[in-house]
Amino acid sequence: MLILCYWFFLNFNLYFFLNVSFIQGRLPLDYTTSCPSSLCHVTHAWLSPKYKAWGSLLGLQLAERDIIVACIDYRNFPQGTISDMVNDVSQGIDYICNNIIEYGGDPNKIYLMGQSAGAHVSSCALVQQAIKESRGDSISWSVSQIKAYFGLSGGYNLPNLVDHFHNRGLYRSIFLSIMEGEKLLEQFSPEVIVQDPSSDKAVSLLPHIVLFHGTTDSSIPSDERFAFLLRMMLISCQLTEHKMPCLVAVNESVVI
């Protein structure tokens, strides 16, 4: 089994893991046969760049199971602030949605996943894209191209996390610099955004959402409110049950 890693250097780093033996001789794809799913994984951290091995381990494991994994890196602070990070991730998703077929992937089987800070940044990118679509803005990728979103140990309400991070050593002044000031905390808080009545149409466009969070996570505390609010919004939109988001609370003894 041969697994290759492709690097692209645009405004972001993007690396792929795929099982070449599975897709060899299958390009261009014949969709009458089984085609591999693709996982778009947004890497972890607002600050530290020392996390690429995590994406590599995930990519290698899933590639052995015939899943193409594309890991999106983004600028960290101080090279970039939150709007740069969200933009970088959105560009990465755009590239994957429009080019995954070149790597043997099925454009109808694209899943998006983010971990920790990556869950925050990727959920911001997803919600912002839905808002653009709901307004009829010109877009280069659509949330409808994402089959499902998986958020792992993410923080979705920044105003509620400022004091928690400060007490853990990510001091208020640094955190607010990353998030471009206190006034923009709510703008980059998906949990807050979905409560705005003007976001109703955007929420209805979101893909199926599954949130995972450890019950004893001390980095970012587990919070069910984002999943609950999304469920209430979708019920108000009279959408079907299969699209309902949920929170999977993971006990610390469970290894994901």
Side-chain angles (χ1 to χ4, degrees):
M1 181 179 296
L2 178 61
I3 298 173
L4 295 183
C5 176
Y6 295 86
W7 290 80
F8 295 86
F9 300 93
L10 307 174
N11 292 330
F12 53 90
N13 293 335
L14 180 62
Y15 45 111
F16 282 82
F17 297 86
L18 59 152
N19 182 350
V20 176
S21 62
F22 182 76
I23 64 170
Q24 191 171 22
R26 296 167 54 84
L27 300 176
L29 284 176
D30 176 7
Y31 288 114
T32 61
T33 60
S34 177
C35 299
S37 299
S38 303
L39 176 68
C40 174
H41 177 246
V42 181
T43 50
H44 161 83
W46 291 303
L47 280 165
S48 171
K50 300 178 180 179
Y51 50 80
K52 294 181 178 63
W54 298 358
S56 299
L57 292 171
L58 176 68
L60 291 171
Q61 288 293 318
L62 293 182
E64 290 181 352
R65 292 160 175 79
D66 301 326
I67 298 173
I68 298 173
V69 179
C71 294
I72 300 176
D73 196 3
Y74 51 87
R75 284 171 285 180
N76 299 122
F77 185 80
Q79 285 73 31
T81 53
I82 185 61
S83 59
D84 299 314
M85 300 175 196
V86 173
N87 185 59
D88 290 350
V89 167
S90 184
Q91 287 186 57
I93 298 171
D94 175 18
Y95 182 90
I96 293 162
C97 286
N98 291 295
N99 294 278
I100 195 62
I101 192 172
E102 302 297 329
Y103 302 91
D106 185 341
N108 298 312
K109 297 179 182 177
I110 298 176
Y111 298 82
L112 177 63
M113 172 186 172
Q115 177 187 359
S116 192
H120 166 250
V121 176
S122 58
S123 62
C124 284
L126 191 64
V127 170
Q128 287 188 10
Q129 192 71 7
I131 291 173
K132 291 178 183 178
E133 286 189 53
S134 69
R135 296 192 305 232
D137 295 354
S138 176
I139 56 173
S140 56
W141 66 277
S142 170
V143 292
S144 64
Q145 293 175 271
I146 306 300
K147 195 170 181 66
Y149 173 75
F150 303 99
L152 176 60
S153 303
Y156 309 104
N157 189 323
L158 297 184
N160 288 351
L161 292 171
V162 176
D163 291 339
H164 172 77
F165 287 140
H166 180 79
N167 293 332
R168 287 185 55 82
L170 179 52
Y171 299 120
R172 186 185 311 272
S173 59
I174 297 175
F175 184 69
L176 293 180
S177 295
I178 297 171
M179 300 304 163
E180 302 174 10
E182 190 168 3
K183 291 183 178 180
L184 294 187
L185 289 179
E186 292 189 353
Q187 181 178 322
F188 292 102
S189 297
E191 181 183 307
V192 176
I193 295 171
V194 300
Q195 297 179 69
D196 188 333
S198 66
S199 298
D200 287 4
K201 185 176 180 180
V203 171
S204 71
L205 298 176
L206 292 172
H208 181 54
I209 294 175
V210 181
L211 306 178
F212 296 88
H213 215 121
T215 56
T216 58
D217 189 340
S218 58
S219 297
I220 300 179
S222 177
D223 191 340
E224 297 184 13
R225 282 176 296 183
F226 185 39
F228 173 78
L229 287 167
L230 284 171
R231 287 184 65 86
M232 293 302 99
M233 293 290 291
L234 292 175
I235 289 173
S236 70
C237 295
Q238 298 183 338
L239 294 181
T240 56
E241 183 69 22
H242 79 276
K243 196 176 180 181
M244 289 300 169
C246 65
L247 174 72
V248 179
V250 182
N251 186 278
E252 64 177 345
S253 64
V254 177
V255 178
I256 298 179

